[in-house]
Amino acid sequence: MDIPSLLSPQETPRTTPTPPAKASTRKPRKPRASKLANAVQSSPLSNTTLPPPTIPHSAMAQAHHATHSPTMMSPTSVLRTSSAGTPSVDGTRTSRQPSTPGMDTLADLASMQHHQQTARANAGGLRSAEIYENPTSSGTVFPNLQAMSRPSVPTLRGGCYDVSMMDGAGDVPSPRTYSARSLSEADLQTVAQLVSYLAANPFSYESHVQLINLLHRGLLNHVQPHLSSTAAGDPHTYDLLHDLQNAREAINARFALGEDLWANWIQDQILLASSLEDRISVMELCQKAVDEETSSTKLWLVYGNWMLSLYRNANGHDEKASGFETLSTRHEWSEEDKIVAREVFSWPQLMNVWKRGAQETMWRLNDSHVMWDTYTGLLLQELASSPSQDAIATTQYHFVNRLQTPHATWDQTFQAYSNFVSKYENATYEVTMVTANRLGTSAKNKYGAREVMEANILRAGQNNDQAAELGAFGEYIEWELAQSRKKQVFDFELANALYQRATLRFPSNTELWEAWAMFLIEEITSHGRRNVSAFPVLERAARHCPWSGTLWSQYLLTAEIDKLPFPHIGDIKHKATSTGLLDAGGMEEVLKVHTAWCGFLRRRAFHQDSTDEEMDVAEVGIRSAIEDMETLGRTKYGKDYQGDPEYRLEKIYIKYLTQSRNWQGARESYKKLISKKGDSYEFWLRYYLWEMATWSKLAYSESDPNGPGGPVKPTEATKVLQQALRRPKLDWPEKIIETYRYHCEDHEDAEELQSSIAQVWKAKKAVQKRREREAYEAYEGSRAEALKQQQQAQQDVTNDQVECANIGKRKREDSHDGEASKKSRPDGNEHAEPPVEAHHPSAPSSLKRDRENTTIIVRNLPIETTETRIRQYFRDCGTINSLKLLPEADGGSATASIEFSKDDVLTAQTKDMKLFDGKEIEVHVGSGSTLYVCNFPPTVDEAWMREKFQKYGEIVDVRFPSLKFNSHRRFCYVQFKSSADAKAATQLDGEVLGDDLKLLAKISDPGRRQERQGPIYEGRELYLANLDWNATKKEIKQAFSKYGEVEKVRVPTKVDGSSKGLAFIVFSNKDEATAALEMNLVRFKNRVLNVSVSTNDANKRQANRIITSTSQRTTASPTPDIPLTKTNGDNHIVASPNPPTASASKSSEIQSRTIALLNVPDTVNDSRIRALAERYGELVKVLLRPDHQGAILEFKDVASVGKATLGIDGQEIAPGRAITVGTVGEMLKQKAEKRSDKIGSTKPNVPLQAAAPIRRPNQPGPRRGARGGLGFKRGGVGLSGLSAIHDEEGKEKEVYSNGEGVEEQGKAKSNADFKAMFLNK
């Protein structure tokens, strides 16, 4: 094997190439011992370090300034002295083939391993031309270019940027002042800073990109100073042109550019191209770009359009290339250039570029049509100019193949094929199109199944949300890989193309490249896809992410599997370790590459056709890698460096020595690892198993020199276990003890077995004491921790007692001085209601229903369409929660507002631009079309809202919130037909209404959240319970003023004006309120206070508004018919076991003045009820019961009740909701309203009608009192059966029996009857 081929040209010490070894010198080697066994050294390696997604600047600098390892002693003398023979295990010499001339370079190879970093500074400039020599290079695609004398790519030098980029770190150039009229002073300063930074940190990818983009922008500004200007500058006069060229060369030497940087580079070179040679250089640059980014539609399109431009300018008379988009040039072509160009740029070469582009991008679902459509247009132009049956057949195959490939514009492709068939195969048009449709059904369905995920990626890209785009790609890939292979749903080409697109969009994402590589490897190894190779992908991956040891190691392994030549594999390894980027990724990344390289060397050395030279190369290479890692580890971590916890390189070296039958060398390698791995039972077990494997190979081939000639005993293996037992800090000694016992029982004699039993007993005792000591230390530690937690818990309990005292539900009624509260307030103070709920951002963080973002607006619907037809059209998109259909003002179309679930709204958007009953509809999300409105008068209804906002646009819906669980909510949502109308309606935001209310009208966005404000939410309001009945606000304020400024004291009162025994105190800040908690359990006047922080209880199931105070009415009573049980907070109507003590006459009088309103929507508040009822008479009380769809009204006199009953009954308080007047009992029978506007919920919300009693025929016979049949009682009456009794006049009448008594037919007992029954017990 030619050893110098492993070395790079810069590192090869010879000026005269070594003559290749003859074929006859390559003979199979014989087993031999290693020459360098005595010189083997251990290698402590680093702990694992995961690579960052992008290499930080600090890591780059650290990697670049890493100290190089000292030069290893050259093994040349050892090799030369052992060239005649190698000592074998038994001391004899085994003759072997003399070394080839390449053996003299082994010392240089070892030296190269230690000095790889010296080549890092030489990575500047463009890559050498041979990197691009491949079957698709410009030299093979355009053979006519070979004879032309020209630079392949412009090589520019100028300024000082080339010095800073091409020289190594540390050669920092002198500061330079940059000037360019097309860049601002701030931009020029940034350029200078970036150049200075890159001089010291040449591996900072982000800085390279930032510098190039900044210089590129300056060039564009120089060429076209203003968008409105028609004068264009000369790009050659750009002051920083040389710096831009050199910056691109520098990054291209270290990293892959990516499609955006390539596209900008090509664009700039087109601006600079003024001669035929320049234009050919641009063409070569395009070729290099697509070679590196093979699946980039963007680069292939630029390449193809440039070729079209060249061909059209060279062959202006040719009509085949007319009608297509081309790239314009700034300079005119001379006649001489055109003559030469006609020889260079031919039609087949042009078509070859477009054909390759279409093939490379054919599986890109989103944009493959960009290349295919233009290529097809060129094919049709060519066919039209020279039609033939072969050309027609070829073009037809081209169409059919495309129709069987999933892509976004399948319908347009089908239409183009229809036109082609009509023109060239019209006789078989119908049969051909039916067949094409059948063949393309699968491809069309595949795209349809992926359309939503494609839309997600497109939407994220349009929003420039890279995180969302990366997440969309991840979900898409996961879905693609989950498709069933058994059902033949999985499509390898689509999955592979998806990885291509993801890595092209995120070229520096290591995880994406690794996932793609693992996907291809699994397809090759597990699914037998032998026509696929992971090598090109790993080659690109290593160039895009050169800091990833995983990618480099897989690259090396794949090269070995593909049986690439040894120099090629060595060059891959050299590229990986010579740049310093692996060091920036961490020790673990460097170790992965060295492990892959050393594993390759070992396997190559023991291949069946290997030679002694290859074995020497492996030994030197493995030892060199071990020493490199040790030096790197000590440089990074100092003397505390403990090496690789898995000692991977040492394992490879031991395996190498073992395969070389150098048992003693391998044993010495294990012994040198004891000092650092001796506390690991896994190390000792591996060492022991190696000794046993070695012994098994020698057990019956050699004899014990001290024995009677029998097989040798595994003495070395026994010593290994004995040495392990003596380690005091062994992590799992029980495992070693067990292994030692079994080993001696199986392999040792009686004497040694007895000795082992004693050693095991002693070891177990030591381990037992150790475990007891560890258990005691653990117990003490846990005890101390438990004590600490107990103390903390006690402190928490104390705080909880202060902050979380048991308070009931808050009562809020007005006091005599007219102070406002939530529950009751006198007339004229309604504007002083507590602040309504904060603007929509205070919506719950976990939204159950997000109408604003799950509603779509469908426009251009046929005017005659119905809601049923719309539901049918969108039913495959998911569940429709609500639908509203409105005609447009022009009368020619209709618009629908459809609400879906969160997951289904994306699917519904795919209907955009589709046909609906012959009309093309528009579908878009209705975000931003809904207003959140609050802080309006309490009597406002839907009609008021529509009248207020209708001037800004057509209103789709007005929604008020349910008051079922919080009767004090006052806000609504106004949905417009378009977001523009909603935005215009925000002009009303801040408008002052009556009672000093400032209207709030903002675009609704439930996804945002704001913390509520106010004393309760800020924690500065205290709740006082068990307050003395006679305590006044002045006395309370005086008692609490010592803790801080008291802003407000509120003492809720009962209906009769007396205190409820509780109060609320508001301090100026939270700290003062917390300090005032000291008053908890302190006697104040005649009672012990219970003080706690106020909390907001939103579950207020009713609103009890007292309209008339006790001095204005004759009686103050609880709700009629139902006893009122008072709790510490609100007045709740609950069943009380004890009846009220009021007299029956007084209760009857209250009942006569009370009515109930039924069928009241739970969105109607008590203010609207009061406004509706007080026109008929003076009210005493309004009790809102949204939990029963009703309200209770108590008037001051009976006459008002009669007027209200006649006037209110039948009125619509909301569209479609007519109020019914009834009794309180009838109202309480109603259940809470179930709000559901989902499609299909069309049944009215009314209780089910009770089933009629079952009439059963009487048993035959003369006596009614006879024994009845099954299910009947005596007297012929069964369950709910018909019976007969006599009334007071002796007439017989039918009654129904319920089993316990009789009930007159048609007469139902009222609540008053049941109440009387209880009172008469």
Side-chain angles (χ1 to χ4, degrees):
M1 182 63 197
D2 190 8
I3 302 300
S5 63
L6 179 64
L7 304 176
S8 63
Q10 294 83 356
E11 293 171 328
T12 304
R14 299 178 180 270
T15 57
T16 303
T18 304
K22 297 181 180 180
S24 59
T25 61
R26 183 179 179 89
K27 296 182 179 180
R29 58 173 176 77
K30 297 181 179 181
R32 64 182 179 84
S34 172
K35 312 176 298 298
L36 305 175
N38 297 330
V40 69
Q41 298 183 18
S42 61
S43 173
L45 301 178
S46 66
N47 295 324
T48 58
T49 304
L50 294 177
T54 56
I55 303 302
H57 302 318
S58 59
M60 296 294 181
Q62 181 183 4
H64 188 85
H65 293 293
T67 304
H68 305 304
S69 60
T71 305
M72 188 184 74
M73 181 180 295
S74 173
T76 307
S77 58
V78 180
L79 295 175
R80 289 174 179 172
T81 56
S82 60
S83 61
T86 304
S88 63
V89 179
D90 57 1
T92 62
R93 300 183 66 83
T94 304
S95 62
R96 68 180 179 91
Q97 179 69 25
S99 173
T100 64
M103 292 289 293
D104 295 334
T105 62
L106 282 175
D108 300 323
L109 172 63
S111 177
M112 181 195 71
Q113 299 290 337
H114 286 280
H115 294 281
Q116 288 170 343
Q117 293 184 358
T118 60
R120 296 175 187 172
N122 299 325
L126 282 175
R127 293 177 293 171
S128 57
E130 60 268 20
I131 296 178
Y132 296 101
E133 292 296 334
N134 54 61
T136 59
S137 65
S138 59
T140 57
V141 177
F142 305 100
N144 296 331
L145 302 182
Q146 298 297 325
M148 299 188 63
S149 175
R150 71 203 182 291
S152 60
V153 175
T155 303
L156 302 175
R157 293 290 182 269
C160 67
Y161 181 69
D162 58 327
V163 178
S164 64
M165 290 295 98
M166 305 311 161
D167 295 342
D171 299 331
V172 181
S174 57
R176 171 190 166 191
T177 302
Y178 292 87
S179 61
R181 289 174 296 178
S182 56
L183 290 175
S184 64
E185 290 297 330
D187 291 338
L188 293 173
Q189 185 177 1
T190 304
V191 169
Q193 293 174 352
L194 289 171
V195 170
S196 177
Y197 179 80
L198 287 171
N201 305 276
F203 305 110
S204 176
Y205 177 79
E206 294 82 0
S207 299
H208 278 288
V209 174
Q210 185 179 358
L211 177 62
I212 291 172
N213 289 335
L214 193 58
L215 296 175
H216 168 70
R217 177 157 55 87
L219 176 61
L220 296 183
N221 293 340
H222 176 80
V223 173
Q224 196 72 28
H226 301 287
L227 296 178
S228 59
S229 176
T230 58
D234 184 2
H236 294 88
T237 61
Y238 177 45
D239 298 327
L240 302 180
L241 179 60
H242 295 322
D243 299 278
L244 175 59
Q245 297 279 9
N246 294 328
R248 283 173 170 151
E249 293 176 1
I251 190 176
N252 190 38
R254 296 176 173 87
F255 304 97
L257 270 67
E259 64 175 356
D260 291 334
L261 290 180
W262 274 118
N264 292 339
W265 192 352
I266 296 171
Q267 177 187 3
D268 294 349
Q269 292 302 115
I270 292 174
L271 291 175
L272 294 167
S274 58
S275 64
L276 182 61
E277 288 77 9
D278 293 340
R279 297 181 183 105
I280 294 175
S281 297
V282 175
M283 182 186 65
E284 292 180 337
L285 192 64
C286 291
Q287 180 63 49
K288 292 178 181 180
V290 297
D291 284 344
E292 187 166 277
E293 305 295 347
T294 57
S295 61
S296 172
T297 303
K298 183 177 183 179
L299 295 179
W300 277 111
L301 186 62
V302 173
Y303 190 8
N305 288 336
W306 179 243
M307 291 300 301
L308 273 172
S309 299
L310 296 178
Y311 182 82
R312 182 178 295 178
N313 284 280
N315 303 274
H317 61 280
D318 195 340
E319 296 296 331
K320 293 195 297 294
S322 61
F324 295 95
E325 179 184 358
T326 60
L327 299 178
S328 60
T329 58
R330 298 174 53 86
H331 302 279
E332 296 294 333
W333 287 51
S334 65
E335 289 299 326
E336 182 180 357
D337 287 346
K338 292 181 180 180
I339 294 174
V340 177
R342 291 190 191 103
E343 300 296 329
V344 176
F345 309 121
S346 63
W347 178 261
Q349 292 170 344
L350 168 66
M351 295 298 291
N352 184 60
V353 171
W354 281 99
K355 181 179 181 180
R356 288 171 50 217
Q359 290 175 345
E360 292 291 346
T361 61
M362 65 180 296
W363 294 104
R364 292 174 59 98
L365 292 181
N366 60 325
D367 58 5
S368 61
H369 59 276
V370 175
M371 290 297 297
W372 190 90
D373 289 348
T374 304
Y375 175 53
T376 304
L378 293 171
L379 280 178
L380 294 176
Q381 290 276 49
E382 184 180 36
L383 179 62
S385 62
S386 57
S388 66
Q389 288 300 322
D390 292 340
I392 293 174
T394 301
T395 307
Q396 186 170 13
Y397 173 78
H398 171 74
F399 270 106
V400 173
N401 185 55
R402 179 61 174 173
L403 289 173
Q404 296 180 79
T405 304
H407 59 283
T409 58
W410 192 94
D411 292 333
Q412 291 85 332
T413 304
F414 189 78
Q415 182 62 45
Y417 182 49
S418 174
N419 297 336
F420 168 79
V421 174
S422 298
K423 184 174 182 180
Y424 295 101
E425 298 286 342
N426 192 39
T428 60
Y429 176 82
E430 294 184 0
V431 176
T432 302
M433 296 309 298
V434 169
T435 304
N437 187 52
R438 175 176 54 81
L439 293 175
T441 300
S442 176
K444 190 174 183 181
N445 292 338
K446 285 183 179 180
Y447 178 78
R450 295 160 175 81
E451 190 172 7
V452 174
M453 288 169 285
E454 291 288 344
N456 293 340
I457 294 176
L458 178 62
R459 186 179 302 105
Q462 292 174 344
N463 296 334
N464 199 24
D465 189 345
Q466 292 191 355
E469 188 175 3
L470 181 60
F473 268 116
E475 294 176 0
Y476 196 174
I477 291 173
E478 184 178 356
W479 179 89
E480 196 74 65
L481 298 181
Q483 300 306 298
S484 174
R485 294 177 183 268
K486 293 182 179 180
K487 298 180 180 179
Q488 297 182 350
V489 179
F490 174 77
D491 194 311
F492 167 77
E493 297 294 349
L494 291 180
N496 189 56
L498 188 57
Y499 274 116
Q500 287 180 342
R501 292 167 54 191
T503 52
L504 193 64
R505 185 67 184 87
F506 301 95
S508 61
N509 190 301
T510 307
E511 294 183 0
L512 279 177
W513 286 107
E514 292 179 0
W516 190 9
M518 295 302 107
F519 164 73
L520 292 176
I521 292 171
E522 183 182 6
E523 289 293 320
I524 297 170
T525 57
S526 300
H527 302 289
R529 206 174 294 276
R530 298 301 178 183
N531 60 335
V532 176
S533 175
F535 186 83
V537 173
L538 288 167
E539 184 178 17
R540 292 178 55 213
R543 182 153 166 77
H544 279 283
C545 304
W547 52 83
S548 172
T550 301
L551 294 174
W552 280 111
S553 61
Q554 287 297 324
Y555 188 15
L556 286 168
L557 185 59
T558 305
E560 179 184 358
I561 294 173
D562 291 350
K563 298 180 180 181
L564 268 66
F566 177 70
H568 194 165
I569 300 177
D571 184 58
I572 294 174
K573 187 262 179 184
H574 177 64
K575 290 178 182 177
T577 56
S578 63
T579 62
L581 287 174
L582 277 176
D583 300 352
M587 287 283 293
E588 176 68 15
E589 302 308 306
V590 183
L591 185 58
K592 289 176 182 178
V593 176
H594 280 293
T595 302
W597 169 248
C598 292
F600 161 69
L601 291 178
R602 182 192 63 78
R603 289 186 294 271
R604 176 175 173 269
F606 294 98
H607 192 269
Q608 59 182 358
D609 297 330
S610 63
T611 63
D612 289 338
E613 181 181 345
E614 291 167 346
M615 197 168 182
D616 294 336
V617 170
E619 183 172 6
V620 174
I622 296 172
R623 289 183 53 207
S624 180
I626 292 175
E627 294 180 0
D628 280 348
M629 291 305 301
E630 181 179 2
T631 301
L632 181 60
R634 292 190 181 279
T635 301
K636 282 195 170 211
Y637 305 107
K639 297 180 179 180
D640 295 334
Y641 175 68
Q642 294 299 315
D644 177 19
E646 301 178 14
Y647 51 99
R648 282 164 280 190
L649 296 180
E650 286 83 354
K651 290 177 185 177
I652 295 174
Y653 188 54
I654 291 172
K655 181 65 175 177
Y656 166 83
L657 294 174
T658 303
Q659 289 182 286
S660 302
R661 302 182 66 82
N662 187 353
W663 320 114
Q664 187 60 33
R667 185 175 291 114
E668 291 298 325
S669 298
Y670 267 117
K671 289 181 179 180
K672 289 183 179 181
L673 289 172
I674 293 177
S675 60
K676 296 176 180 177
K677 310 300 176 187
D679 292 335
S680 170
Y681 86 94
E682 184 272 337
F683 165 78
W684 288 107
L685 285 182
R686 177 178 287 274
Y687 187 8
Y688 163 73
L689 293 175
W690 179 85
E691 289 287 2
M692 290 300 297
T694 303
W695 168 78
S696 66
K697 296 177 181 179
L698 303 176
Y700 296 98
S701 62
E702 301 179 4
S703 300
D704 187 352
N706 300 324
V712 297
K713 298 184 297 183
T715 306
E716 294 296 334
T718 305
K719 291 179 181 179
V720 169
L721 294 176
Q722 291 173 346
Q723 189 176 1
L725 288 177
R726 291 193 292 269
R727 302 290 298 189
K729 297 182 180 180
L730 191 65
D731 52 0
W732 193 7
E734 293 87 349
K735 184 66 176 178
I736 300 298
I737 291 173
E738 181 184 12
T739 304
Y740 180 52
R741 180 167 61 87
Y742 289 142
H743 169 78
C744 292
E745 290 177 353
D746 294 340
H747 302 288
E748 293 294 345
D749 54 21
E751 183 178 354
E752 186 66 32
L753 177 60
Q754 188 177 41
S755 175
S756 68
I757 293 174
Q759 294 181 47
V760 167
W761 182 86
K762 183 179 179 180
K764 285 185 175 180
K765 288 294 183 181
V767 171
Q768 183 179 1
K769 290 183 179 180
R770 174 184 167 184
R771 298 305 186 202
E772 290 175 354
R773 182 176 66 255
E774 292 173 350
Y776 178 76
E777 292 174 354
Y779 168 74
E780 289 294 328
S782 61
R783 181 180 178 185
E785 183 66 22
L787 181 61
K788 182 179 179 180
Q789 293 179 357
Q790 183 178 4
Q791 294 174 351
Q792 183 64 33
Q794 291 177 353
Q795 182 66 27
D796 293 341
V797 169
T798 302
N799 295 337
D800 290 343
Q801 289 177 349
V802 173
E803 298 179 1
C804 302
N806 182 23
I807 64 173
K809 293 186 177 180
R810 175 183 300 174
K811 293 183 177 181
R812 295 187 178 180
E813 294 186 358
D814 288 340
S815 56
H816 279 293
D817 57 1
E819 189 171 349
S821 71
K822 283 188 176 181
K823 302 279 294 176
S824 62
R825 50 190 61 81
D827 298 335
N829 285 335
E830 291 169 358
H831 63 277
E833 287 187 1
V836 295
E837 291 192 1
H839 178 46
H840 55 84
S842 63
S845 59
S846 178
L847 298 173
K848 294 182 179 179
R849 191 168 180 181
D850 185 5
R851 288 186 177 93
E852 285 71 13
N853 296 316
T854 59
T855 299
I856 64 170
I857 304 299
V858 185
R859 299 184 182 276
N860 202 31
L861 289 167
I863 190 63
E864 67 276 2
T865 191
T866 62
E867 291 187 4
T868 302
R869 178 68 185 97
I870 296 175
R871 290 198 297 270
Q872 292 174 347
Y873 185 79
F874 285 94
R875 64 185 175 187
D876 59 334
C877 299
T879 303
I880 298 178
N881 292 333
S882 65
L883 188 153
K884 291 186 180 296
L885 182 63
L886 298 173
E888 290 289 351
D890 57 5
S893 62
T895 298
S897 172
I898 311 175
E899 181 193 353
F900 289 90
S901 63
K902 183 177 181 181
D903 298 330
D904 297 335
V905 69
L906 298 178
T907 307
Q909 294 179 56
T910 61
K911 299 290 188 179
D912 186 31
M913 308 304 292
K914 298 294 178 65
L915 294 179
F916 181 98
D917 292 347
K919 297 192 67 173
E920 189 177 89
I921 60 174
E922 299 177 10
V923 180
H924 60 86
V925 180
S927 300
S929 61
T930 302
L931 280 188
Y932 174 88
V933 185
C934 69
N935 218 30
F936 44 77
T939 57
V940 164
D941 56 5
E942 180 177 344
W944 187 94
M945 282 291 172
R946 289 184 177 273
E947 182 180 359
K948 188 72 174 177
F949 289 94
Q950 66 181 0
K951 61 182 178 180
Y952 297 102
E954 188 170 357
I955 297 175
V956 177
D957 191 18
V958 177
R959 302 190 305 271
F960 284 86
S962 172
L963 308 180
K964 189 189 310 182
F965 301 108
N966 187 350
S967 58
H968 300 288
R969 305 169 79 187
R970 198 194 323 150
F971 61 90
C972 73
Y973 296 96
V974 181
Q975 182 182 357
F976 287 86
K977 185 178 290 187
S978 68
S979 58
D981 295 342
K983 186 175 181 180
T986 57
Q987 298 176 12
L988 293 178
D989 184 45
E991 179 180 337
V992 179
L993 305 177
D995 298 329
D996 296 331
L997 292 176
K998 183 180 289 187
L999 185 69
L1000 189 148
K1002 297 183 180 296
I1003 300 296
S1004 177
D1005 184 4
R1008 294 165 47 210
R1009 182 182 180 90
Q1010 293 178 351
E1011 295 295 335
R1012 297 186 179 182
Q1013 299 178 352
I1016 297 177
Y1017 306 105
E1018 296 170 3
R1020 54 189 182 91
E1021 180 179 279
L1022 298 183
Y1023 171 75
L1024 277 60
N1026 206 38
L1027 182 68
D1028 187 273
W1029 306 106
N1030 299 320
T1032 63
K1033 291 193 295 183
K1034 184 177 180 180
E1035 293 173 337
I1036 298 172
K1037 183 175 182 179
Q1038 183 177 1
F1040 282 85
S1041 294
K1042 59 183 178 180
Y1043 298 105
E1045 181 183 355
V1046 178
E1047 292 183 350
K1048 185 177 182 181
V1049 177
R1050 184 161 54 84
V1051 182
T1053 59
K1054 302 178 184 178
V1055 176
D1056 59 2
S1058 62
S1059 172
K1060 293 184 176 181
L1062 54 92
F1064 297 94
I1065 305 178
V1066 178
F1067 285 88
S1068 60
N1069 57 62
K1070 182 179 180 180
D1071 295 337
E1072 295 174 352
T1074 303
L1077 292 174
E1078 294 181 0
M1079 291 292 290
N1080 186 39
L1081 304 180
V1082 174
R1083 179 174 292 276
F1084 177 69
K1085 300 191 76 171
N1086 295 325
R1087 304 181 74 180
V1088 177
L1089 288 176
N1090 190 337
V1091 183
S1092 61
V1093 178
S1094 294
T1095 58
N1096 181 37
D1097 184 3
N1099 296 325
K1100 301 174 175 64
R1101 300 186 63 86
Q1102 61 184 21
N1104 186 3
R1105 174 167 295 211
I1106 307 301
I1107 306 301
T1108 306
S1109 62
T1110 52
S1111 60
Q1112 296 174 312
R1113 58 190 176 126
T1114 59
T1115 178
S1117 64
T1119 304
D1121 293 340
I1122 302 297
L1124 180 63
T1125 300
K1126 297 180 180 180
T1127 60
N1128 189 18
D1130 287 326
N1131 294 337
H1132 285 276
I1133 302 297
V1134 297
S1136 174
N1138 300 319
T1141 58
S1143 63
S1145 58
K1146 187 173 183 179
S1147 175
S1148 178
E1149 189 268 336
I1150 295 173
Q1151 182 179 356
S1152 64
R1153 295 187 286 103
T1154 302
I1155 61 174
L1157 305 184
L1158 286 68
N1159 198 30
V1160 177
D1162 60 3
T1163 59
V1164 176
N1165 58 21
D1166 55 347
S1167 297
R1168 292 178 61 186
I1169 296 294
R1170 175 186 175 186
L1172 177 68
E1174 64 184 357
R1175 70 184 71 170
Y1176 301 106
E1178 186 176 358
L1179 288 168
V1180 175
K1181 180 189 295 184
V1182 175
L1183 182 61
L1184 189 64
R1185 294 305 302 267
D1187 52 339
H1188 290 286
Q1189 301 185 63
I1192 301 175
L1193 304 177
E1194 181 181 348
F1195 288 89
K1196 191 171 184 179
D1197 52 60
V1198 178
S1200 300
V1201 172
K1203 295 178 182 179
T1205 301
L1206 295 176
I1208 297 176
D1209 191 51
Q1211 285 195 30
E1212 284 194 0
I1213 197 169
R1217 297 294 294 270
I1219 296 178
T1220 303
V1221 179
T1223 64
V1224 175
E1226 292 172 342
M1227 184 270 294
L1228 294 177
K1229 290 180 181 180
Q1230 294 187 137
K1231 297 184 180 297
E1233 183 177 2
K1234 294 182 180 179
R1235 300 175 61 84
S1236 176
D1237 52 2
K1238 291 186 178 182
I1239 300 302
S1241 300
T1242 57
K1243 295 182 179 181
N1245 187 18
V1246 296
L1248 294 177
Q1249 183 177 1
I1254 302 175
R1255 297 177 180 267
R1256 299 183 184 274
N1258 294 331
Q1259 292 293 321
R1263 294 188 303 166
R1264 292 185 179 273
R1267 182 181 181 89
L1270 180 62
F1272 291 87
K1273 288 189 175 183
R1274 283 180 173 269
V1277 180
L1279 296 176
S1280 299
L1282 182 65
S1283 182
I1285 60 174
H1286 293 80
D1287 58 9
E1288 296 177 355
E1289 300 178 358
K1291 296 181 180 180
E1292 188 180 71
K1293 59 182 180 180
E1294 292 183 341
V1295 298
Y1296 290 94
S1297 172
N1298 59 7
E1300 295 182 1
V1302 294
E1303 181 181 344
E1304 294 186 10
Q1305 183 181 15
K1307 183 178 180 181
K1309 290 185 178 297
S1310 64
N1311 290 332
D1313 295 331
F1314 284 107
K1315 190 173 182 180
M1317 290 172 60
F1318 283 109
L1319 294 175
N1320 293 333
K1321 281 187 176 181

